[in-house]
Amino acid sequence: MAEIHSSLPDSTQQLNRLLDTQHENWHFIWLDWVCSQLPQVDGALIVADESQSGQFHALAVWPEVAENNSGNADNSHQDKLLQDAAEQTLIKKQPLITPLNDGKHHIGSYPVFVEGKLSAVITLMFTAQDEAQLHKALAVIEYCSGWLELRLARNILATLASDNERQHIVIDSIAHVASENYFEHAALRFVNLMGKHLNTERVVLGFVKNDELVIHSQSDSSEQSKKHELVKLTTQAMQEATDQQESVLWPAPSDQNRITQAHSKLAVEKGQRSLMSVPLIDKELCYGTVLFERSPEHPFTHQDQLTAEALTNFVGVVLEEKRQSNLPLYSYFLRSLRNQLSRLFGSGYLMRKITVFILLLVSLFFSLMPGAYNISAETVIEGAELRAIVVPFDGYLQTADLRAGDSVQKGDLLAELDTSELRLQRMSWISQQATSMRQYEDALAKQELTKVQISSAQRKRAQAEIELLDYQISQATMVAPFNALIVSGDLNQRIGSQLRQGDVLFELSPSQRFRLAMYVDEFRINDINHAQTGRLVLAALPDQKFSFTLTRINPMAEVRDGATVYRVEAELNNSADVLRVGLEGVAQIYVDQRLLITIWTRSMVDWMKLQWWRFWG
């Protein structure tokens, strides 16, 4: 390594040129210096990522193309070898020495890391006679790469410092603009801050209104800046940047590929001033532009552009929020509507267009397609009639084996009362009847008319009492008057208890004849008429449908489950053995044929009409 140090130039001029890492031709200077340290170098290449973006680019080639134009084919082949070696080093991230086919020439490629990240690759084609010369060449490359590493590290530090300074400027500007209560004051503060941070003589702020840019405020309030021709040219220049939605600099840098006609006219009018226009963009929507102007001796640089874009991107959003908050409600609504329509009919937003197209097709279909208008109603099955079995006379219960839910046939015994006391009374009245008969015969034989009449009356009374007791005894056995289902009644635990005349023992409903009790909402009762038909689905039998016909509409409303409803009765057209009294379900009452959209929006339209009448009359 001492031998390497002794061979390196000690020229002060050369050292100063290497220390000036910001020189625009530094890479060529450094590469020329490296090649001078190694004998018989045929070519060299620097590939680096100075922007830390992950994209590597060739920064310098030695010798320069202009030095040797006679061997273009050889230079192309040599450049191809250097590029391939650099790509291999980028992939493997380690030094590589590759011998060529002639056995003398070698290609050495050395990676340069900055803060542990691969930032550059140095590739040289040189001649080495033995392995010692190869190691010496690699050592020289490694030593000289320290200067390149210094250059890259300084660039990173400069970039970080510039970014930090830019962040402080943005944060400070946001704080100042946000502290203003009124939009006009915030806009004036914004342009003054932009002029201060970018060292400009004039800053103009404009906003887009009806697709045209309108100047709102500017930092220069002199009379010259308010001239009509100057305002017109300024507006055109800002509109030029707004239409392109890209920053525009004048004089235009060599790498700028944008239209600058309006900027050139404004610059000529102002005496060849330096101009920069930066559009204000939020969520792909350009809502304004800021124009900067300063003397031609200080043209705008790329760093100025980055600072301006950072300020407009972040501070401009705060300013736009203040502007929107000061707009009237109708302006905010129209602006939102215009933005949505531009997205719908403009380029992009394919899914939104497809969704709207499908919704339009569905709406059109339902607006033209008719359908059956049915009214849904909660329904309960009731018996066609309800027969009550009551106690015929005061007595004691002797037999009652049935209860609610049992099915009975006509003539089946339901309950029986104890008739022993009635039979004793009957025997007593029979005895009295026989006594009255003997007294009647004796009085008739003796021709005692008064006794004859009394005895005859007593005999008739006894006969009537006997007939009454016979009737009561016959009524003591209560049987089913028809095939029925016992709806209520359970007397199993009341055997032997006393019953009063008129007490209800059982309630019977015909087992094969039913009626439907439907409860229609008050908003739909006007659509219900007699003889309308429909279908019923029961909760217990969801797979079966039963048809019915309306027979009666109760004109009295009632409250059921918190809603006002009307009771509508119907008769089943097709009965089944599986039906039972008390089953519940949902009935669909057919009204007529209507458009599907009118059917589905009926409730909403009725509600809106009611609310309109409630508030406006």
Side-chain angles (χ1 to χ4, degrees):
M1 185 63 76
E3 182 181 355
I4 296 172
H5 281 283
S6 63
S7 65
L8 294 177
D10 197 17
S11 172
T12 304
Q13 182 180 3
Q14 184 76 26
L15 181 61
N16 291 335
R17 294 175 66 189
L18 290 175
L19 287 173
D20 186 12
T21 56
Q22 300 303 319
H23 194 280
E24 59 180 355
N25 294 324
W26 186 90
H27 293 95
F28 295 96
I29 297 172
W30 178 83
L31 194 59
D32 183 69
W33 172 65
V34 173
C35 295
S36 67
Q37 308 306 307
L38 293 172
Q40 299 179 352
V41 176
D42 296 327
L45 172 67
I46 301 177
V47 177
D49 176 23
E50 288 195 317
S51 62
Q52 299 294 314
S53 61
Q55 299 292 330
F56 286 83
H57 304 278
L59 300 181
V61 179
W62 186 93
E64 295 186 44
V65 178
E67 296 180 3
N68 186 11
N69 292 328
S70 59
N72 291 332
D74 295 338
N75 287 340
S76 299
H77 179 66
Q78 176 179 300
D79 292 344
K80 181 66 169 57
L81 293 176
L82 293 174
Q83 291 176 5
D84 293 342
E87 291 179 359
Q88 291 296 321
T89 305
L90 289 174
I91 295 173
K92 297 182 179 180
K93 298 182 180 181
Q94 62 182 11
L96 297 176
I97 295 181
T98 305
L100 299 182
N101 294 333
D102 57 5
K104 294 181 180 181
H105 290 83
H106 296 76
I107 294 181
S109 188
Y110 185 82
V112 178
F113 294 88
V114 178
E115 296 182 356
K117 183 178 180 180
L118 180 61
S119 299
V121 173
I122 311 159
T123 307
L124 292 90
M125 179 184 291
F126 56 91
T127 303
Q129 300 296 332
D130 52 24
E131 187 175 351
Q133 290 185 354
L134 288 176
H135 287 290
K136 179 182 178 180
L138 190 59
V140 171
I141 296 173
E142 181 178 0
Y143 175 79
C144 295
S145 64
W147 291 93
L148 180 59
E149 184 177 349
L150 175 64
R151 154 85 178 199
L152 295 172
R154 285 185 176 181
N155 286 346
I156 294 175
L157 290 176
T159 302
L160 291 176
S162 177
D163 291 342
N164 289 335
E165 182 181 2
R166 194 175 295 118
Q167 289 176 3
H168 287 301
I169 292 175
V170 170
I171 294 173
D172 181 68
S173 301
I174 290 176
H176 282 85
V177 172
S179 63
E180 297 292 344
N181 295 326
Y182 300 100
F183 167 67
E184 299 296 336
H185 297 168
L188 186 59
R189 175 67 68 89
F190 174 73
V191 295
N192 289 331
L193 287 173
M194 298 285 278
K196 173 186 175 182
H197 293 310
L198 290 168
N199 192 24
T200 59
E201 299 176 5
R202 187 168 76 117
V203 179
V204 184
L205 172 64
F207 292 99
V208 176
K209 294 182 179 179
N210 299 325
D211 297 330
E212 293 185 1
L213 189 130
V214 179
I215 294 178
H216 181 271
S217 57
Q218 54 183 330
S219 60
D220 183 11
S221 59
S222 63
E223 292 298 327
Q224 182 180 2
S225 65
K226 298 180 181 179
K227 292 182 179 180
H228 174 72
E229 186 63 25
L230 182 58
V231 172
K232 179 180 178 182
L233 293 175
T234 302
T235 304
Q236 290 176 355
M238 297 174 70
Q239 185 70 50
E240 191 174 59
T242 302
D243 294 338
Q244 298 179 81
Q245 295 193 11
E246 294 286 349
S247 299
V248 179
L249 278 68
W250 180 265
S254 59
D255 59 344
Q256 176 176 283
N257 185 21
R258 297 181 183 90
I259 300 173
T260 58
Q261 293 181 1
H263 285 76
S264 63
K265 292 180 181 179
L266 177 61
V268 171
E269 179 70 20
K270 294 282 290 183
Q272 295 299 333
R273 308 288 286 176
S274 296
L275 303 174
M276 178 173 63
S277 295
V278 180
L280 301 173
I281 300 176
D282 182 27
K283 297 178 181 178
E284 301 181 2
L285 177 66
C286 183
Y287 58 89
T289 297
V290 183
L291 183 139
F292 303 88
E293 176 186 323
R294 64 188 182 192
S295 63
E297 291 79 10
H298 301 89
F300 290 100
T301 63
H302 180 66
Q303 292 299 323
D304 294 332
Q305 179 182 347
L306 293 178
T307 302
E309 289 177 349
L311 286 168
T312 54
N313 287 338
F314 294 99
V315 187
V317 173
V318 177
L319 189 64
E320 176 66 6
E321 290 180 355
K322 285 186 174 293
R323 187 173 77 96
Q324 293 297 328
S325 63
N326 283 273
L327 290 176
L329 183 61
Y330 72 89
S331 298
Y332 182 79
F333 174 77
L334 291 177
R335 179 176 179 270
S336 300
L337 179 61
R338 184 167 57 253
N339 293 339
Q340 296 300 325
L341 291 177
S342 64
R343 294 179 180 180
L344 181 61
F345 297 103
S347 60
Y349 300 97
L350 181 60
M351 290 304 300
R352 177 175 300 192
K353 293 179 174 61
I354 293 175
T355 302
V356 172
F357 180 72
I358 293 175
L359 290 177
L360 288 176
L361 287 181
V362 172
S363 300
L364 183 63
F365 173 79
F366 290 122
S367 299
L368 301 176
M369 180 61 65
Y373 174 40
N374 296 309
I375 297 177
S376 300
E378 299 294 328
T379 305
V380 180
I381 294 182
E382 297 178 350
E385 62 177 291
L386 194 64
R387 180 74 62 85
I389 305 299
V390 299
V391 178
F393 53 86
D394 295 344
Y396 295 91
L397 182 62
Q398 181 176 352
T399 304
D401 297 330
L402 302 176
R403 64 180 67 181
D406 292 340
S407 297
V408 294
Q409 301 296 321
K410 182 179 180 180
D412 288 351
L413 178 65
L414 299 177
E416 186 178 4
L417 298 179
D418 185 7
T419 59
S420 57
E421 183 177 352
L422 295 177
R423 294 182 185 280
L424 291 175
Q425 291 179 9
R426 183 176 185 278
M427 292 177 63
S428 174
W429 283 108
I430 291 174
S431 176
Q432 290 183 18
Q433 183 185 29
T435 301
S436 298
M437 187 64 183
R438 288 194 299 270
Q439 291 177 354
Y440 172 78
E441 292 176 352
D442 291 343
L444 185 63
K446 296 178 179 180
Q447 295 183 354
E448 296 177 353
L449 296 179
T450 302
K451 289 184 178 181
V452 169
Q453 293 178 353
I454 293 172
S455 299
S456 177
Q458 289 177 346
R459 181 176 61 81
K460 291 180 180 180
R461 178 191 175 191
Q463 182 62 33
E465 291 290 344
I466 293 172
E467 291 177 356
L468 175 61
L469 290 173
D470 289 340
Y471 174 76
Q472 288 179 339
I473 292 173
S474 65
Q475 293 296 314
T477 301
M478 289 161 281
V479 297
F482 46 75
N483 298 340
L485 175 71
I486 299 178
V487 178
S488 64
D490 185 2
L491 304 176
N492 289 339
Q493 298 179 355
R494 297 184 61 184
I495 301 299
S497 62
Q498 185 180 9
L499 302 177
R500 297 294 182 182
Q501 183 179 4
D503 289 348
V504 178
L505 299 180
F506 298 100
E507 288 183 339
L508 305 182
S509 176
S511 58
Q512 296 298 326
R513 291 186 296 118
F514 305 97
R515 70 180 180 186
L516 302 181
M518 294 173 286
Y519 299 92
V520 180
D521 191 271
E522 60 176 337
F523 291 100
R524 297 289 178 267
I525 192 61
N526 287 335
D527 294 332
I528 302 299
N529 296 309
H530 287 283
Q532 285 180 333
T533 60
R535 292 188 298 175
L536 168 69
V537 173
L538 299 171
L541 302 168
D543 297 332
Q544 298 186 33
K545 295 180 176 62
F546 303 91
S547 60
F548 60 83
T549 303
L550 300 187
T551 57
R552 183 174 184 274
I553 301 174
N554 192 343
M556 300 298 295
E558 57 183 277
V559 177
R560 181 180 175 91
D561 296 333
T564 303
V565 295
Y566 285 84
R567 178 185 170 96
V568 178
E569 296 180 2
E571 181 180 351
L572 284 168
N573 297 333
N574 52 337
S575 183
D577 295 337
V578 294
L579 296 181
R580 295 289 186 272
V581 174
L583 290 179
E584 297 183 357
V586 177
Q588 293 280 349
I589 305 172
Y590 175 76
V591 179
D592 54 20
Q593 292 288 121
R594 301 183 183 182
L595 294 178
L596 292 177
I597 193 169
T598 61
I599 295 174
W600 292 348
T601 58
R602 171 72 183 277
S603 299
M604 181 181 66
V605 171
D606 289 348
W607 181 85
M608 292 178 65
K609 289 180 179 178
L610 183 62
Q611 299 303 318
W612 179 270
W613 170 257
R614 175 176 296 173
F615 289 105
W616 301 104

